[in-house]
């Protein structure tokens, strides 16, 4: 997956919110990167948060903050991508017809972490 390869090439680090179906692949192809959810992880809090964030239900932004998510790798046409492209505090690191990889663009101190990286 090109989005994941882009993140690895840029040496991106942080907490990743990933599409459920891609969890196992990301875990194998991106050693050292913790995935948010896989088919093997059914913690009720994780599943509830995944549904809230992935569906852009009320409170989705708070869930991202609660889990300290810094990167998001989801299908390109995901409602989450649509919401985050227009949201402040996020930038696009990669997008193609399959996936979009977004990164939190500000640090807790308010400094930008992806200057000139918005696509």
């Amino acid at each position: 997956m090109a989005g994941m390869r882009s993140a690895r090439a840029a040496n991106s680090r942080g907490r990743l919110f990933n599409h459920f179906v891609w969890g196992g692949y990301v875990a194998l192809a991106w050693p050292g990167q913790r995935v948010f959810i896989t088919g093997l992880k059914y913690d009720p809090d994780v599943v509830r948060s995944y549904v809230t964030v992935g569906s852009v239900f009320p409170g989705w932004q708070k869930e991202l903050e609660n889990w300290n998510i810094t990167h998001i790798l989801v299908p390109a046409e995901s409602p989450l991508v649509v919401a985050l492209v227009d949201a402040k505090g996020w930038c696009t690191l990669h997008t193609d017809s399959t996936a979009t990889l977004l990164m939190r663009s500000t640090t807790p101190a308010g400094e930008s972490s992806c200057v000139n990286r918005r696509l």
Side-chain angles (χ1 to χ4, degrees):
M1 176 181 310
M4 189 191 57
R5 287 191 300 272
S6 293
R8 287 189 68 192
N11 200 26
S12 292
R13 300 269 184 229
R15 305 251 352 214
L16 175 71
F17 178 89
N18 59 281
H19 183 52
F20 173 82
V21 175
W22 299 340
Y25 173 77
V26 173
L28 289 173
W30 193 349
Q33 176 61 54
R34 288 185 57 194
V35 296
F36 187 75
I37 193 167
T38 71
L40 301 173
K41 186 175 185 179
Y42 288 99
D43 177 285
D45 291 334
V46 171
V47 173
R48 184 176 47 254
S49 291
Y50 175 80
V51 171
T52 299
V53 172
S55 300
V56 193
F57 287 156
W60 66 272
Q61 292 167 313
K62 185 68 173 162
E63 289 295 321
L64 290 176
E65 291 173 20
N66 289 344
W67 291 97
N68 196 27
I69 299 297
T70 59
H71 292 75
I72 296 175
L73 181 63
V74 292
E77 300 299 322
S78 164
L80 185 56
V81 170
V82 174
L84 286 173
V85 163
D86 293 328
K88 291 184 180 179
W90 292 88
C91 60
T92 304
L93 295 180
H94 174 89
T95 193
D96 60 29
S97 61
T98 302
T100 296
L101 174 68
L102 298 120
M103 183 174 82
R104 190 174 296 277
S105 63
T106 54
T107 66
E111 301 162 340
S112 178
S113 59
C114 47
V115 176
N116 297 326
R117 296 180 86 173
R118 183 178 273 285
L119 299 177

